[in-house]
């Protein structure tokens, strides 16, 4: 059903039915497209806000990327109908929708730099491949037709690219001979005259350019479908498409090619699909790319290859190797480059995505940290969102006050400093902002900025020593715990203590001893408050509402235990070993499912007005008790940093669609990205548990990478060098790793050794004290052999 290609270059699905929503995604700096194995596609481009060029059949709400996208007959997509002009019954469509004729052979290949579909039906083979240019928001399609039937065939080929409902103000389409393109135009709807200057600059045209002129075309969806519908369009049953234009009707871009093919003959067609401002731009774009697909694909492939990360692993787990070597760094890179396709990323997301870029392109991480800090208020508070351009504005959830954004600064910066040793960053002078406006004066060093952020967190606590939650912390929809100004977040209090501890460690490394001691004392004070107010006997409470009600405790019927309050109690040091063992048992008992560890349980099935929107979410999705991978990876990281290798690895492995076909079908996706969640509520709704959200925007991947570096492979940077301390699961006896670190290439052969009493690291045969490789020279190769004690188990 699914298998990796040679050297993991691609992942292949060999039937369109078992994983109907299986998908892959491609992006560049200005666009993103997600396409499924059956041909449906969701695409957007930035101008500068996210916009569309291929729509569904009705006005679509502009919102953020949603989980569990529905697929329906008229869902936007890219399809090719094939009709045999002699043997009429033969009508099929590649890759599968909308005709859904079962193919003799099918392959959906997700490559890092392209998506490819191969379909064989009735002796005709269609190959469709999609790549993107480096910059422009355009789709470059190659469609190959091969006659495998060993006899002459007379075919009609109909590329059908959806355009849909573009505007209630003005929309129409026609074929432009001169441009060799179907051009669909609209005017983005608006009512306020002050919007016109912006609107008039929009790319309000969608065009389908063809390398070879079609014999006929169609621009009206209704005329194309006729009475046959999309599974058997009336227009395809006719001799020729109508060559009609479209006047304020539902649009489609359909072309017809007549092919006389001898046995074994093959033909290739090239298409460019995307938005444009006007015909002149269509001409310049098509002339820039026509007849140059090869080099454009090569350029795009090398662009994507820049996101390869710093680890190449070969372990007993081939599935994990494939994901870590090929797909994980790509997904981290996607987040750092595209900022999840918005102009005002949430501050916590932006700073954690920067953390991930420390392992991919550290310079990008550095720039992201500096931009985020330049938007900090002088009082230390961080904004809810980071504005990526002067005309950007805070939207949606960024208009709801959340209290946690400061905490992520030292937590993420610690990974950057570990990876780069770039402590000079702490002395960089950065301005402040006053409510979004970057002020000319005053400036302060990065260190001073983070001091202020830690002091803001430390002071933003109530008389019990717990942090106010306002209308949310890491959990966006926990919006009614503290909206009256008294409710506190147990998780945020733990995150504050952990952040302050991380900052103390950085202060120590950067020679600010006294500040380090002061911050350690502050963290201890907070941990004392946590243990006196939030320990419920077998786990930690999630918080206390405006009305003083402790929640996330055993007394609760729903939302008894929250995962984040357990993992962060371990991270901040509030949980001593006795409490840690107790909460780990509780997590295993109440939250662990075959698909990973759930975010809370039992799920909420009714509104709690002292907790909020979270409790209104459908049981088992997103924050209401799904396997919310971002929360799960925090727990896994907490287990690694406290030496719980077995539990950490078990849950790390469950985050990837498993080896068994049954698990893969249940998740419904290929292991080419980690989704933000898998359906939860396993004990209450086992039949839907495990389903993927198919949403690849998630802070999980930065932390997954950190778990590999700081935990599983224990190849963590320090100021002095690379600390080697693998934390293998007991069933791993050996592995080899190549670690790229500060310009050097470090080859590690790691294996269990009956003689080894503790982890021993030899570099070129000489023991390394404390497993620390220092004085590392960029450009040099190092060969380390690491001996691990035999596992207890
Ligand atoms: O957005 C994410 C945020 O991007 O939710 C996480 C939060 O930590 C991330 O920063 C947990 O709440 O508003 C909503 O209800 C949405 O559910 C968002 O909370 C959520 C989106 O679903 C994307 O996952």
């Amino acid at each position: 059903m699914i298998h990796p290609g040679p050297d993991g270059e691609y992942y292949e699905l060999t039937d369109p039915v078992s994983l109907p929503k299986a998908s892959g995604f491609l992006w560049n700096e200005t666009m993103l497209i997600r396409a499924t194995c059956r041909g449906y596609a969701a695409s957007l481009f930035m101008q500068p806000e996210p916009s569309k060029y291929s729509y569904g059949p009705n006005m679509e709400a502009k919102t953020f990327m949603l989980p569990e996208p529905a697929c329906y007959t008229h869902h936007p997509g890219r399809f090719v109908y094939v009709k045999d002009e002699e043997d009429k019954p033969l009508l099929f469509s590649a890759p599968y929708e909308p005709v859904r004729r079962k193919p003799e052979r099918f392959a959906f290949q997700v490559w890092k730099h392209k998506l490819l579909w191969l379909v064989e039906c009735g002796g005709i083979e269609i190959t469709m491949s999609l790549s993107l240019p480096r910059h422009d928001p355009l789709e470059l399609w190659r469609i190959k037709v091969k006659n495998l039937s060993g006899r002459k065939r007379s075919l009609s080929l109909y590329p059908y690219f959806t355009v849909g409902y573009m505007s209630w103000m003005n929309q129409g389409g026609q074929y432009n001979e001169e441009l060799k393109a179907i051009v669909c135009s609209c005017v983005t709807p608006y009512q306020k005259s002050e919007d016109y200057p912006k609107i008039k600059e929009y790319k309000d045209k969608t065009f389908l350019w063809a390398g070879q002129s079609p014999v006929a075309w169609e621009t009206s969806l209704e005329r194309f479908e006729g009475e046959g519908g999309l599974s058997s369009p009336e227009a395809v049953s006719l001799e020729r498409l109508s060559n009609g234009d479209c006047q304020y009707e539902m649009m489609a871009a359909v072309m017809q090619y007549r092919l006389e093919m001898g046995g074994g003959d093959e033909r290739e067609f090239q298409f460019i699909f995307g938005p444009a401002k006007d015909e002149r731009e269509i001409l310049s774009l098509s002339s820039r790319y026509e007849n140059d697909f090869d080099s454009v694909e090569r350029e795009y492939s090398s662009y994507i290859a820049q996101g390869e990360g710093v680890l190449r692993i070969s372990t007993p787990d081939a599935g994990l190797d494939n994901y870590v070597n090929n797909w994980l760094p790509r997904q981290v890179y996607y987040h750092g480059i595209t900022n999840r396709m918005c102009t005002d990323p949430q501050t916590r997301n932006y700073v954690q995505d920067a953390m991930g870029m420390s392992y991919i392109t550290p310079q990008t991480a550095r720039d992201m940290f500096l931009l985020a800090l330049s938007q900090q208020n002088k009082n230390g508070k961080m904004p809810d969102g980071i504005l990526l351009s002067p005309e950007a504005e805070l939207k949606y959830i960024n208009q709801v006050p959340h209290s946690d954004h400061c905490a992520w600064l030292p937590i993420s910066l610690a990974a950057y400093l570990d990876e780069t040793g770039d402590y000079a960053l702490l002395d960089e002078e950065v301005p402040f902002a006053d409510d979004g406006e970057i002020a000319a004066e005053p400036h302060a060093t990065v260190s001073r900025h983070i001091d202020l952020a830690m002091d803001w967190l430390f002071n933003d606590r109530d008389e019990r020593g717990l942090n106010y939650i306002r209308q949310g912390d890491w959990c966006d929809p926990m919006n009614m715990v503290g909206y009256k100004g008294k409710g506190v977040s147990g998780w945020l209090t733990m995150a504050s203590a952990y952040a302050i501890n991380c900052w103390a460690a950085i202060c120590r490394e950067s020679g600010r001893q006294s500040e380090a001691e002061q911050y350690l004392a502050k963290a201890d004070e907070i941990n004392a408050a946590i243990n006196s107010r939030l320990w419920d006997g077998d786990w930690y409470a999630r918080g206390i509402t405006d009305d003083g009600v402790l929640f996330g405790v055993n007394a609760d019927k729903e939302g008894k235990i929250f995962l984040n309050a357990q993992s962060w109690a371990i991270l901040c040091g509030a949980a001593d070993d006795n409490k840690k063992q107790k909460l780990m048992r509780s997590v295993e008992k109440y939250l662990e499912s075959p698909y990973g560890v759930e975010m809370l349980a039992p799920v909420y099935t009714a509104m709690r007005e002292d907790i909020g929107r979270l409790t209104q979410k459908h049981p088992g999705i997103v924050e209401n008790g799904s396997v919310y991978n971002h929360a799960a990876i925090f727990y896994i990281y907490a287990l690694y940093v406290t030496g719980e290798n077995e539990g950490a690895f078990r849950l790390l492995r469950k985050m990837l669609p498993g080896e068994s076909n049954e698990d893969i079908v249940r998740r419904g996706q290929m292991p080419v990205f980690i989704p933000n969640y898998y359906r939860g509520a396993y004990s209450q709704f086992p039949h839907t548990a495990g389903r993927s959200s198919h949403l690849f925007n998630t802070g999980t991947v930065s932390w997954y990478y950190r778990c590999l570096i700081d935990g599983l492979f224990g190849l963590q940077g320090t100021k002095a060098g690379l600390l080697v301390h693998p934390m293998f699961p007991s069933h791993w006896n050996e592995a080899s790793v190549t670690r790229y670190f500060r310009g050097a290439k470090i080859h590690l052969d790691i294996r269990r050794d009956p003689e080894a009493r503790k982890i021993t690291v030899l570099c070129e045969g000489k023991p390394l004290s404390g497993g620390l490789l220092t004085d590392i020279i960029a450009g040099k190769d190092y060969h380390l052999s690491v001996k691990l004690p035999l596992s207890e188990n």
Side-chain angles (χ1 to χ4, degrees), residues 25 57 86 130 132 162 165 185 192 195 205 287 437 562 564 605 678 700 736:
F25 67 96
E86 273 123 31
L130 166 64
L132 308 181
T162 59
Y165 191 96
S185 309
K192 299 192 217 111
D195 287 341
K205 294 185 184 299
S287 38
E437 292 310 309
F562 282 69
N564 276 345
T605 58
Y678 295 107
T700 309
S736 61

PDB file of all heavy atoms in Angstrom, residues 25 57 86 130 132 162 165 185 192 195 205 287 437 562 564 605 678 700 736:
ATOM      1  N   PHE A  25       2.558  18.222   0.342  1.00  0.00           N
ATOM      2  CA  PHE A  25       2.477  19.662   0.151  1.00  0.00           C
ATOM      3  C   PHE A  25       3.788  20.217  -0.384  1.00  0.00           C
ATOM      4  O   PHE A  25       4.858  19.660  -0.128  1.00  0.00           O
ATOM      5  CB  PHE A  25       2.074  20.365   1.457  1.00  0.00           C
ATOM      6  CG  PHE A  25       3.082  20.294   2.577  1.00  0.00           C
ATOM      7  CD1 PHE A  25       3.982  21.338   2.789  1.00  0.00           C
ATOM      8  CD2 PHE A  25       3.145  19.189   3.415  1.00  0.00           C
ATOM      9  CE1 PHE A  25       4.907  21.275   3.817  1.00  0.00           C
ATOM     10  CE2 PHE A  25       4.069  19.114   4.447  1.00  0.00           C
ATOM     11  CZ  PHE A  25       4.959  20.165   4.651  1.00  0.00           C
ATOM     12  N   PRO A  57     -17.004  25.787  -5.335  1.00  0.00           N
ATOM     13  CA  PRO A  57     -18.152  26.325  -6.106  1.00  0.00           C
ATOM     14  C   PRO A  57     -18.971  27.369  -5.351  1.00  0.00           C
ATOM     15  O   PRO A  57     -20.100  27.642  -5.735  1.00  0.00           O
ATOM     16  CB  PRO A  57     -18.987  25.064  -6.344  1.00  0.00           C
ATOM     17  CG  PRO A  57     -18.703  24.191  -5.180  1.00  0.00           C
ATOM     18  CD  PRO A  57     -17.262  24.475  -4.782  1.00  0.00           C
ATOM     19  N   GLU A  86     -12.442   5.850 -30.068  1.00  0.00           N
ATOM     20  CA  GLU A  86     -13.028   4.680 -30.739  1.00  0.00           C
ATOM     21  C   GLU A  86     -13.774   3.843 -29.711  1.00  0.00           C
ATOM     22  O   GLU A  86     -14.981   3.658 -29.770  1.00  0.00           O
ATOM     23  CB  GLU A  86     -11.949   3.833 -31.407  1.00  0.00           C
ATOM     24  CG  GLU A  86     -11.604   4.284 -32.828  1.00  0.00           C
ATOM     25  CD  GLU A  86     -10.111   4.605 -32.945  1.00  0.00           C
ATOM     26  OE1 GLU A  86      -9.329   3.952 -32.214  1.00  0.00           O
ATOM     27  OE2 GLU A  86      -9.761   5.510 -33.699  1.00  0.00           O
ATOM     28  N   LEU A 130       3.768  17.665 -10.490  1.00  0.00           N
ATOM     29  CA  LEU A 130       3.637  19.074 -10.099  1.00  0.00           C
ATOM     30  C   LEU A 130       4.916  19.530  -9.414  1.00  0.00           C
ATOM     31  O   LEU A 130       5.406  18.861  -8.495  1.00  0.00           O
ATOM     32  CB  LEU A 130       2.470  19.265  -9.133  1.00  0.00           C
ATOM     33  CG  LEU A 130       2.425  20.605  -8.380  1.00  0.00           C
ATOM     34  CD1 LEU A 130       2.223  21.774  -9.344  1.00  0.00           C
ATOM     35  CD2 LEU A 130       1.333  20.586  -7.307  1.00  0.00           C
ATOM     36  N   LEU A 132       7.088  23.509  -8.389  1.00  0.00           N
ATOM     37  CA  LEU A 132       6.877  24.947  -8.253  1.00  0.00           C
ATOM     38  C   LEU A 132       8.145  25.686  -8.664  1.00  0.00           C
ATOM     39  O   LEU A 132       9.242  25.127  -8.572  1.00  0.00           O
ATOM     40  CB  LEU A 132       6.561  25.312  -6.794  1.00  0.00           C
ATOM     41  CG  LEU A 132       5.452  24.583  -6.053  1.00  0.00           C
ATOM     42  CD1 LEU A 132       5.323  25.158  -4.640  1.00  0.00           C
ATOM     43  CD2 LEU A 132       4.138  24.653  -6.798  1.00  0.00           C
ATOM     44  N   THR A 162      -9.613  23.372 -11.644  1.00  0.00           N
ATOM     45  CA  THR A 162     -10.767  24.088 -11.077  1.00  0.00           C
ATOM     46  C   THR A 162     -10.444  25.564 -10.863  1.00  0.00           C
ATOM     47  O   THR A 162      -9.348  25.916 -10.429  1.00  0.00           O
ATOM     48  CB  THR A 162     -11.147  23.474  -9.719  1.00  0.00           C
ATOM     49  OG1 THR A 162     -10.004  23.562  -8.850  1.00  0.00           O
ATOM     50  CG2 THR A 162     -11.572  22.018  -9.857  1.00  0.00           C
ATOM     51  N   TYR A 165     -15.748  29.656  -7.814  1.00  0.00           N
ATOM     52  CA  TYR A 165     -16.475  30.919  -7.567  1.00  0.00           C
ATOM     53  C   TYR A 165     -15.487  31.962  -7.063  1.00  0.00           C
ATOM     54  O   TYR A 165     -15.039  31.914  -5.917  1.00  0.00           O
ATOM     55  CB  TYR A 165     -17.583  30.676  -6.539  1.00  0.00           C
ATOM     56  CG  TYR A 165     -18.567  31.819  -6.401  1.00  0.00           C
ATOM     57  CD1 TYR A 165     -19.792  31.816  -7.091  1.00  0.00           C
ATOM     58  CD2 TYR A 165     -18.262  32.915  -5.601  1.00  0.00           C
ATOM     59  CE1 TYR A 165     -20.674  32.870  -6.978  1.00  0.00           C
ATOM     60  CE2 TYR A 165     -19.137  33.983  -5.476  1.00  0.00           C
ATOM     61  CZ  TYR A 165     -20.349  33.962  -6.165  1.00  0.00           C
ATOM     62  OH  TYR A 165     -21.234  35.021  -6.056  1.00  0.00           O
ATOM     63  N   SER A 185     -11.088  35.916 -14.831  1.00  0.00           N
ATOM     64  CA  SER A 185     -10.851  37.196 -14.149  1.00  0.00           C
ATOM     65  C   SER A 185     -11.963  37.481 -13.155  1.00  0.00           C
ATOM     66  O   SER A 185     -13.088  37.003 -13.313  1.00  0.00           O
ATOM     67  CB  SER A 185     -10.809  38.319 -15.189  1.00  0.00           C
ATOM     68  OG  SER A 185      -9.906  37.959 -16.225  1.00  0.00           O
ATOM     69  N   LYS A 192     -15.889  49.180   0.717  1.00  0.00           N
ATOM     70  CA  LYS A 192     -15.391  50.468   1.207  1.00  0.00           C
ATOM     71  C   LYS A 192     -14.424  51.063   0.167  1.00  0.00           C
ATOM     72  O   LYS A 192     -13.462  50.392  -0.252  1.00  0.00           O
ATOM     73  CB  LYS A 192     -14.656  50.295   2.536  1.00  0.00           C
ATOM     74  CG  LYS A 192     -15.534  49.746   3.661  1.00  0.00           C
ATOM     75  CD  LYS A 192     -14.823  49.892   5.021  1.00  0.00           C
ATOM     76  CE  LYS A 192     -15.114  48.682   5.937  1.00  0.00           C
ATOM     77  NZ  LYS A 192     -13.909  47.845   6.155  1.00  0.00           N
ATOM     78  N   ASP A 195     -10.774  50.694   0.345  1.00  0.00           N
ATOM     79  CA  ASP A 195     -10.132  49.404   0.022  1.00  0.00           C
ATOM     80  C   ASP A 195      -9.692  49.338  -1.440  1.00  0.00           C
ATOM     81  O   ASP A 195      -8.877  48.504  -1.814  1.00  0.00           O
ATOM     82  CB  ASP A 195     -11.107  48.242   0.294  1.00  0.00           C
ATOM     83  CG  ASP A 195     -11.292  48.005   1.788  1.00  0.00           C
ATOM     84  OD1 ASP A 195     -10.401  48.476   2.538  1.00  0.00           O
ATOM     85  OD2 ASP A 195     -12.303  47.401   2.179  1.00  0.00           O
ATOM     86  N   LYS A 205      -6.625  37.518 -11.447  1.00  0.00           N
ATOM     87  CA  LYS A 205      -6.827  36.617 -12.590  1.00  0.00           C
ATOM     88  C   LYS A 205      -6.241  35.243 -12.242  1.00  0.00           C
ATOM     89  O   LYS A 205      -5.239  35.163 -11.536  1.00  0.00           O
ATOM     90  CB  LYS A 205      -6.154  37.172 -13.858  1.00  0.00           C
ATOM     91  CG  LYS A 205      -6.780  38.458 -14.370  1.00  0.00           C
ATOM     92  CD  LYS A 205      -6.160  38.912 -15.686  1.00  0.00           C
ATOM     93  CE  LYS A 205      -6.759  40.247 -16.108  1.00  0.00           C
ATOM     94  NZ  LYS A 205      -8.233  40.157 -16.326  1.00  0.00           N
ATOM     95  N   SER A 287       6.356  33.248 -20.541  1.00  0.00           N
ATOM     96  CA  SER A 287       7.593  33.246 -21.363  1.00  0.00           C
ATOM     97  C   SER A 287       8.800  32.961 -20.466  1.00  0.00           C
ATOM     98  O   SER A 287       9.783  32.389 -20.917  1.00  0.00           O
ATOM     99  CB  SER A 287       7.767  34.575 -22.092  1.00  0.00           C
ATOM    100  OG  SER A 287       7.351  35.618 -21.240  1.00  0.00           O
ATOM    101  N   GLU A 437       4.232  49.492  17.307  1.00  0.00           N
ATOM    102  CA  GLU A 437       5.089  50.490  16.636  1.00  0.00           C
ATOM    103  C   GLU A 437       6.512  50.326  17.162  1.00  0.00           C
ATOM    104  O   GLU A 437       6.770  50.503  18.353  1.00  0.00           O
ATOM    105  CB  GLU A 437       4.612  51.918  16.926  1.00  0.00           C
ATOM    106  CG  GLU A 437       3.268  52.274  16.287  1.00  0.00           C
ATOM    107  CD  GLU A 437       3.279  51.904  14.776  1.00  0.00           C
ATOM    108  OE1 GLU A 437       4.220  52.308  14.091  1.00  0.00           O
ATOM    109  OE2 GLU A 437       2.395  51.111  14.377  1.00  0.00           O
ATOM    110  N   PHE A 562      -4.799  17.021  32.544  1.00  0.00           N
ATOM    111  CA  PHE A 562      -4.261  17.712  31.369  1.00  0.00           C
ATOM    112  C   PHE A 562      -2.784  17.335  31.234  1.00  0.00           C
ATOM    113  O   PHE A 562      -2.017  17.455  32.201  1.00  0.00           O
ATOM    114  CB  PHE A 562      -4.379  19.234  31.529  1.00  0.00           C
ATOM    115  CG  PHE A 562      -5.752  19.811  31.273  1.00  0.00           C
ATOM    116  CD1 PHE A 562      -6.809  19.565  32.147  1.00  0.00           C
ATOM    117  CD2 PHE A 562      -5.995  20.621  30.167  1.00  0.00           C
ATOM    118  CE1 PHE A 562      -8.070  20.111  31.931  1.00  0.00           C
ATOM    119  CE2 PHE A 562      -7.247  21.172  29.931  1.00  0.00           C
ATOM    120  CZ  PHE A 562      -8.300  20.915  30.811  1.00  0.00           C
ATOM    121  N   ASN A 564      -0.241  18.827  29.616  1.00  0.00           N
ATOM    122  CA  ASN A 564       0.758  19.904  29.723  1.00  0.00           C
ATOM    123  C   ASN A 564       1.151  20.189  31.175  1.00  0.00           C
ATOM    124  O   ASN A 564       2.299  20.499  31.476  1.00  0.00           O
ATOM    125  CB  ASN A 564       0.225  21.182  29.072  1.00  0.00           C
ATOM    126  CG  ASN A 564       0.472  21.176  27.567  1.00  0.00           C
ATOM    127  OD1 ASN A 564       1.250  20.380  27.067  1.00  0.00           O
ATOM    128  ND2 ASN A 564      -0.189  22.072  26.862  1.00  0.00           N
ATOM    129  N   THR A 605     -17.733  17.134  26.914  1.00  0.00           N
ATOM    130  CA  THR A 605     -18.882  16.912  26.007  1.00  0.00           C
ATOM    131  C   THR A 605     -19.925  18.006  26.219  1.00  0.00           C
ATOM    132  O   THR A 605     -21.009  17.951  25.658  1.00  0.00           O
ATOM    133  CB  THR A 605     -19.517  15.549  26.322  1.00  0.00           C
ATOM    134  OG1 THR A 605     -19.908  15.557  27.702  1.00  0.00           O
ATOM    135  CG2 THR A 605     -18.541  14.410  26.053  1.00  0.00           C
ATOM    136  N   TYR A 678      -3.857  13.811  16.012  1.00  0.00           N
ATOM    137  CA  TYR A 678      -4.588  12.613  15.627  1.00  0.00           C
ATOM    138  C   TYR A 678      -5.809  12.598  16.528  1.00  0.00           C
ATOM    139  O   TYR A 678      -5.717  12.984  17.711  1.00  0.00           O
ATOM    140  CB  TYR A 678      -3.757  11.338  15.854  1.00  0.00           C
ATOM    141  CG  TYR A 678      -2.512  11.207  15.006  1.00  0.00           C
ATOM    142  CD1 TYR A 678      -1.245  11.367  15.560  1.00  0.00           C
ATOM    143  CD2 TYR A 678      -2.580  10.933  13.639  1.00  0.00           C
ATOM    144  CE1 TYR A 678      -0.087  11.242  14.801  1.00  0.00           C
ATOM    145  CE2 TYR A 678      -1.433  10.821  12.846  1.00  0.00           C
ATOM    146  CZ  TYR A 678      -0.199  10.972  13.445  1.00  0.00           C
ATOM    147  OH  TYR A 678       0.948  10.885  12.675  1.00  0.00           O
ATOM    148  N   THR A 700       5.026  21.076  16.694  1.00  0.00           N
ATOM    149  CA  THR A 700       5.577  19.784  17.121  1.00  0.00           C
ATOM    150  C   THR A 700       6.945  19.522  16.532  1.00  0.00           C
ATOM    151  O   THR A 700       7.869  19.057  17.199  1.00  0.00           O
ATOM    152  CB  THR A 700       4.637  18.653  16.659  1.00  0.00           C
ATOM    153  OG1 THR A 700       3.306  18.963  17.061  1.00  0.00           O
ATOM    154  CG2 THR A 700       5.069  17.319  17.211  1.00  0.00           C
ATOM    155  N   SER A 736      24.206   4.090  13.465  1.00  0.00           N
ATOM    156  CA  SER A 736      25.276   5.015  13.033  1.00  0.00           C
ATOM    157  C   SER A 736      24.615   6.334  12.679  1.00  0.00           C
ATOM    158  O   SER A 736      23.472   6.365  12.201  1.00  0.00           O
ATOM    159  CB  SER A 736      26.020   4.442  11.830  1.00  0.00           C
ATOM    160  OG  SER A 736      25.086   4.289  10.771  1.00  0.00           O
TER     161      SER A 736
END
